[in-house]
Amino acid sequence: MSAIPSVRQRNNPLLPSTMEQLMQFVWQHRLGLRGGQTTVDGRRVSVVDQGILNADAGPDFFNATVEIDGQTWVGNVEIHVRASDWFRHRHDADPAYDSVILHVVQVDDAPVYRSSGELIPQMIMRCTPEGARRCNLLINHAGASLPCSSTISSLPHIYHTDWLTSLGAERLYMKSERIRSLVDDTAGNWEAAAFVTLARALGFGLNSEPMEILARQLPLKFLNRHRDELTSVEAFMFGQAGLIPPPDTGEDPYITRLRDDYRFFSHKYSLRPLALAWKMARTRPQNFPHRRIAALAQKVHEGFYLMSSLVEADTIDHMRQLFDITLRGFWATHYTFASTQATSPRALSRPSIDTLIINAAVPLRHAYATYRGDDDTLTSDIELLQAIEPENNSVTRLFADAGIEAADAFDTQALIQLRREYCEKRKCIYCRFGHRMLSAEISR
């Protein structure tokens, strides 16, 4: 199968790799394949089942069924722009292609054979240059804009809601699977998995990776041994995070104690600060990781029972209370070790709390409900997301400009899934909007 062309090649509408993907799209969705096709030697072809698209090595479609002059064939289908590509790709010497029952091409410039020398039936597929141009536009579009924006805005609203519902569920299940993997990594400990999940969510995208690494390196079971003393938990976390500043004359006694405690613990437990890539450049102080770590330490100190609390939570307000953390002592008035700018001891704003519910609380509940087979909770998880105001970020604004307005957080999660898993990965021909854009041209 051909690779997706580079961005530098995007202006050529007849690139083989782009045209081949268009041909795969046409075959997969049986566009214009209802009847009337013949092999190059004049035998009538009827597509009974187009088969399953293969994303790995081997023929393009598995388990297809076609009738050739009334005889039914079951096997695989290979697609090329030029028939001679069969030899260029060395399929004639590869036994994996002996199961091909039909070779579909744009240009019939050579007969093709199995490794045994047996002739393979060949059929010509007609794809228009405009169809190829549109396919190329979708797959190789450069920049932040959406190449299908004009198509999206003209679609009936039912197409939006149907696709967003599927995408929202897809994203929720993706997050659930990640959590289930964490549960496996922690020997079935759901609270430990919840601790790592919350730590990652507290990174708010910018510092999600270092926050997760920190939580994995200081597992909940270990921190619970020292949770009676808040400063001890903070010493572990800030020390391992590599954020405790070097000694300074006139520093706050809290910083001195934090450093001394970490020095003691690091000697006792053979700890060394992690080399974490914290992102703080061009970031407002309230988005620095310091208060996020302090909030996580506070949750451990109070007794970390997030998973059990989430299972019992039955309203969005109840969930918000779980993350409404009041910081104590030094962190009630500081954003960093050097600043004294914080004016409120509340660790998180209301929008930040809602973000934690979206990225941690609901996925944790959903993962647990999936594990237990609790269909009622699965439904209520989506309703919880629908009870939260839509997120405002670069992705939601991009789609709003194209005519898709998110009604709630479930919709915004769907749009993020669309952007991350389809637009950015250039899987436009597998997106329902892209499908519609191509189908409109090909079906003419």
Side-chain angles (χ1 to χ4, degrees), residues 18-325:
T18 300
M19 179 61 84
E20 191 168 303
Q21 289 183 78
L22 175 60
M23 293 170 68
Q24 291 172 2
F25 175 85
V26 171
W27 180 270
Q28 182 181 13
H29 300 285
R30 301 182 68 171
L31 300 174
L33 298 177
R34 304 302 178 189
Q37 285 78 35
T38 63
T39 62
V40 295
D41 56 2
R43 290 177 288 167
R44 182 169 49 86
V45 177
S46 177
V47 181
V48 179
D49 186 332
Q50 67 272 34
I52 301 171
L53 180 65
N54 173 30
D56 297 313
D60 291 320
F61 288 87
F62 290 147
N63 300 325
T65 303
V66 299
E67 288 184 359
I68 302 177
D69 262 359
Q71 183 176 358
T72 301
W73 295 81
V74 179
N76 302 329
V77 173
E78 178 69 3
I79 294 176
H80 286 122
V81 176
R82 306 182 71 86
S84 56
D85 290 339
W86 180 273
F87 301 101
R88 188 164 62 88
H89 297 164
R90 304 298 300 275
H91 296 336
D92 57 315
D94 188 346
Y97 289 82
D98 285 348
S99 58
V100 170
I101 58 173
L102 184 65
H103 190 216
V104 181
V105 301
Q106 275 269 303
V107 180
D108 171 31
D109 62 348
V112 297
Y113 304 90
R114 297 185 177 92
S115 61
S116 63
E118 184 181 3
L119 182 70
I120 297 176
Q122 193 156 273
M123 182 186 91
I124 295 177
M125 176 190 289
R126 306 295 182 190
C127 289
T128 66
E130 175 59 19
R133 187 193 69 79
R134 288 198 179 200
C135 184
N136 196 39
L137 174 65
L138 286 174
I139 295 172
N140 300 301
H141 176 72
S145 62
L146 298 172
C148 58
S149 57
S150 60
T151 304
I152 291 176
S153 60
S154 64
L155 289 177
H157 185 68
I158 187 65
Y159 284 97
H160 295 180
T161 55
D162 183 56
W163 188 212
L164 292 185
T165 298
S166 297
L167 288 165
E170 182 180 302
R171 185 163 184 81
L172 191 51
Y173 273 99
M174 182 182 292
K175 290 181 178 182
S176 293
E177 285 301 310
R178 192 176 196 280
I179 291 168
R180 290 288 297 275
S181 179
L182 277 175
V183 173
D184 291 341
D185 291 345
T186 54
N189 190 325
W190 282 89
E191 291 295 352
F195 175 67
V196 176
T197 301
L198 177 59
R200 181 179 180 83
L202 280 167
F204 292 93
L206 190 67
N207 284 303
S208 292
E209 291 298 327
M211 285 292 289
E212 178 174 343
I213 294 171
L214 177 63
R216 285 178 177 271
Q217 292 297 317
L218 286 174
L220 182 63
K221 183 178 180 180
F222 174 81
L223 292 173
N224 277 338
R225 300 175 193 164
H226 305 272
R227 74 177 184 85
D228 289 344
E229 180 60 52
L230 176 59
T231 306
S232 295
V233 179
E234 291 174 338
F236 276 117
M237 288 190 170
F238 284 110
Q240 285 299 99
L243 293 174
I244 301 176
D248 184 38
T249 304
E251 68 181 9
D252 191 289
Y254 165 79
I255 302 176
T256 305
R257 181 181 172 186
L258 210 64
R259 187 185 304 108
D260 290 343
D261 283 0
Y262 180 68
R263 185 182 297 116
F264 170 78
F265 290 134
S266 62
H267 178 75
K268 180 177 180 179
Y269 296 108
S270 300
L271 300 175
R272 296 183 63 183
L274 301 169
L276 299 175
W278 298 109
K279 296 178 182 177
M280 289 180 275
R282 297 185 298 278
T283 302
R284 291 179 296 178
Q286 55 265 41
N287 293 327
F288 285 179
H290 302 72
R291 276 193 138 205
R292 316 302 196 198
I293 293 174
L296 190 60
Q298 182 72 38
K299 290 292 287 183
V300 173
H301 172 62
E302 292 173 355
F304 196 95
Y305 305 105
L306 179 60
M307 193 68 247
S308 57
S309 299
L310 288 173
V311 171
E312 296 173 0
D314 53 4
T315 67
I316 196 69
D317 288 334
H318 188 177
M319 279 194 177
R320 287 181 176 128
Q321 293 173 13
L322 297 177
F323 300 107
D324 192 4
I325 304 168

